[in-house]
Amino acid sequence: MHTEVLIVGAGPTGLTLACDLARRGVRFRLLEQAPGLFPGSRGKGLQPRTQEVFDDLGVIGAVHASGSPYPLMRNWQGGEPGPEWDLMERRPAEDGAPYPEVWMLPQWRTQEILHARLLELGGSVEFGTGVLAVRQDAHGVEVDTTAGTATADYLVAADGGRSTVRRAAGIPMAGETVDEKAALVADVRIEGLARSHWHVWQHAPGGAALLCPMPGGTEADFQLFAQYEEGEPDTSAEAVRRIVAERTHLSGEAVTEVRWASGFRPRAALADRFRAGRVFLAGDAAHVHSPAGGQGLNTSVQDAYNLGWKFGRVLRHGAPEALLDSYELERLPVAADVLEMSTSLHRAGAVGVSAKRGPHTEQLGLGYRGGPLAEERRDGLAEDDLQAGDRAPDARCTTPDGTGRLFDVLRGTHLTLVVAGTALPDPAGLPAEVRTARVAEGYGEGYLLVRPDGYIGLATADAADLGPYLATLGAA
């Protein structure tokens, strides 16, 4: 079977993209150098926008069943508990945002859920398959792997910050060290520590230490984060136990198991471009973040979600190949802005712990105004009005089948036309794949065409504008 898209890397980015391509009927292969899924908890916060993506992909039930809200923080002075405080701005679900808070789920469990969904959709991961060399021409890509040579129409690098594919494609990545101090992150099982709080020893000898209860596993599972005032982290089980004993009131014996550990030095980096010919970069292969603010995994999932529908339109619906050019034009500016924000959060406190999380981190406000696919043709709008390029919020709506929620209409691989307000008639002659919903409030007045990734592409008061725009997406 001819491979249309070859994905390298089965982390959150590669798995999200594979799930999206599978449901669109795009022929792909997903290669992963490691023998199995990543075993650690590194990325543990799913932002509200990522939860919306996972809703669309059909995994939000498993995500919520396995995870939990973030606990309150508790400062400790040696063995004495201090005041508690909240890292998050809490608010109830609203009409436009059904998932208003960041959701805690360790990365290993997020990947398990996405992998299970991929298997349900008929896809698979080729574990133990690393990339050795990449070649491309006007007709396709050829990749030498440890399991032989693979060919495809397009190649996506989702193989992390040290991406082999990015280097083979000759794309530079410029970056900076966000913090000169090294850090350790580890998954541990601990006895004698309450799961009601995220425990913080801010002024521990040798550097701050944090223990966060992790959902998705056992009641003893915690993530340890430790900063180092000097020196490099030792990731051995003995050293992890020593860190806990030296920096908290717990003994080393309280750590009954060290399941995974990794040392790192926080860094921010951005690739010069996200595409070179038939090679695309996504996730950490394109941008590397400080862990502050929980932006890295979430931005990576958004990359995959942006790219997946565009591959689908080009390869299955006959959209012009130029549609793929919009990936870099949309995602690179977003990644640059998020990198700046996460770096600022990191420098505001100990890995951003003292910087409160809220609307600036949840990614609901990120969008593509002014981008190549955003056509706003209505007059007299204010800056705060919903416009082309913005995320389409949830709303009460009416469809030919009755009343309900707009997100239920958006879910899937199709395009959606929102007829906003009360003055406009439903347009005639739309392609069968375009679903229509009428929304009375929150969308202003006009015809708003929502892309498969939930962003408004065209906003107009004239139904005659719909046909030419749909043609750019292969839906005329």
Side-chain angles (χ1 to χ4, degrees):
M1 181 180 71
H2 174 68
T3 301
E4 293 173 313
V5 179
L6 186 66
I7 309 167
V8 178
T13 312
L15 289 167
T16 297
L17 179 58
C19 286
D20 204 15
L21 296 182
R23 65 179 184 157
R24 297 178 189 282
V26 174
R27 297 187 294 273
F28 70 91
R29 291 175 63 185
L30 175 54
L31 313 183
E32 169 55 52
Q33 181 175 0
L37 296 173
F38 174 72
S41 67
R42 181 177 284 127
K44 64 179 182 292
L46 300 180
Q47 300 293 346
R49 179 58 187 155
T50 301
Q51 293 174 62
E52 294 177 357
V53 173
F54 286 167
D55 182 325
D56 183 37
L57 293 178
V59 298
I60 194 62
V63 163
H64 284 168
S66 297
S68 69
Y70 269 62
L72 296 177
M73 313 291 290
R74 165 150 282 167
N75 289 319
W76 288 77
Q77 295 291 336
E80 295 299 321
E84 64 180 28
W85 53 283
D86 201 345
L87 183 67
M88 305 296 167
E89 290 185 17
R90 315 276 176 166
R91 63 179 186 274
E94 303 169 348
D95 273 355
Y99 311 115
E101 295 182 11
V102 63
W103 191 252
M104 183 181 288
L105 188 67
Q107 183 172 327
W108 65 264
R109 182 61 185 134
T110 297
Q111 293 184 187
E112 281 187 350
I113 290 170
L114 289 170
H115 184 232
R117 179 59 174 152
L118 179 60
L119 297 178
E120 290 176 356
L121 292 166
S124 63
V125 180
E126 299 175 39
F127 291 110
T129 306
V131 170
L132 303 173
V134 175
R135 296 174 295 278
Q136 65 168 310
D137 59 25
H139 306 289
V141 293
E142 189 174 70
V143 180
D144 294 335
T145 79
T146 54
T149 299
T151 60
D153 295 327
Y154 300 99
L155 173 64
V156 179
D159 53 341
R162 298 181 176 89
S163 172
T164 299
V165 175
R166 184 188 68 238
R167 292 171 179 170
I171 301 177
M173 174 179 262
E176 63 174 323
T177 299
V178 175
D179 194 332
E180 293 294 339
K181 299 173 185 176
L184 169 80
V185 62
D187 290 345
V188 296
R189 286 184 172 162
I190 290 185
E191 294 180 345
L193 190 62
R195 296 183 61 82
S196 56
H197 291 83
W198 186 346
H199 306 277
V200 181
W201 291 264
Q202 187 71 49
H203 303 293
L210 299 86
L211 281 166
C212 182
M214 283 284 98
T218 73
E219 288 298 304
D221 284 348
F222 284 78
Q223 182 194 69
L224 167 68
F225 179 87
Q227 287 184 311
Y228 284 69
E229 295 294 339
E230 57 184 24
E232 298 298 322
D234 182 344
T235 58
S236 68
E238 294 78 9
V240 171
R241 289 187 171 92
R242 187 164 59 250
I243 285 291
V244 170
E246 292 174 349
R247 301 193 187 187
T248 79
H249 63 277
L250 302 167
S251 68
E253 289 71 27
V255 181
T256 61
E257 186 176 355
V258 178
R259 298 175 57 80
W260 168 81
S262 177
F264 70 101
R265 185 167 273 101
R267 182 170 178 265
L270 183 68
D272 285 6
R273 55 191 190 276
F274 286 9
R275 180 182 186 183
R278 292 179 171 269
V279 178
F280 296 79
L281 308 185
D284 287 355
H287 43 80
V288 176
H289 302 250
S290 157
Q295 299 298 298
L297 182 152
N298 293 276
T299 305
S300 300
V301 166
Q302 302 300 329
D303 289 344
Y305 197 51
N306 182 286
L307 187 55
W309 76 268
K310 293 172 182 177
F311 275 137
R313 299 309 304 181
V314 170
L315 294 169
R316 283 292 163 273
H317 296 274
E321 204 268 350
L323 178 63
L324 298 176
D325 294 336
S326 67
Y327 170 70
E328 176 182 301
L329 294 171
E330 290 186 337
R331 293 305 299 166
L332 196 154
V334 167
D337 288 347
V338 172
L339 272 174
E340 182 179 357
M341 183 263 290
S342 60
T343 298
S344 297
L345 276 175
H346 187 110
R347 290 171 174 164
V351 195
V353 164
S354 63
K356 203 169 184 68
R357 311 295 195 265
H360 59 302
T361 60
E362 61 196 18
Q363 300 201 349
L364 293 177
L366 297 179
Y368 309 117
R369 283 191 189 185
L373 302 182
E375 295 190 17
E376 178 56 68
R377 300 189 178 183
R378 298 170 299 169
D379 297 325
L381 297 177
E383 179 66 22
D384 291 340
D385 290 338
L386 191 66
Q387 298 182 31
D390 293 347
R391 159 189 164 271
D394 198 10
R396 294 182 177 87
C397 70
T398 302
T399 71
D401 299 322
T403 59
R405 304 298 309 180
L406 183 59
F407 271 21
D408 293 332
V409 181
L410 296 180
R411 193 179 297 117
T413 62
H414 55 275
L415 300 157
T416 303
L417 178 66
V418 174
V419 182
T422 59
L424 298 176
D426 289 344
L430 292 175
E433 66 168 300
V434 179
R435 298 185 185 176
T436 301
R438 184 172 286 277
V439 173
E441 298 179 354
Y443 273 71
E445 294 275 345
Y447 298 107
L448 296 92
L449 189 68
V450 182
R451 306 165 7 166
D453 62 347
Y455 290 88
I456 299 166
L458 169 70
T460 181
D462 187 351
D465 294 333
L466 295 171
Y469 188 89
L470 287 167
T472 68
L473 304 183

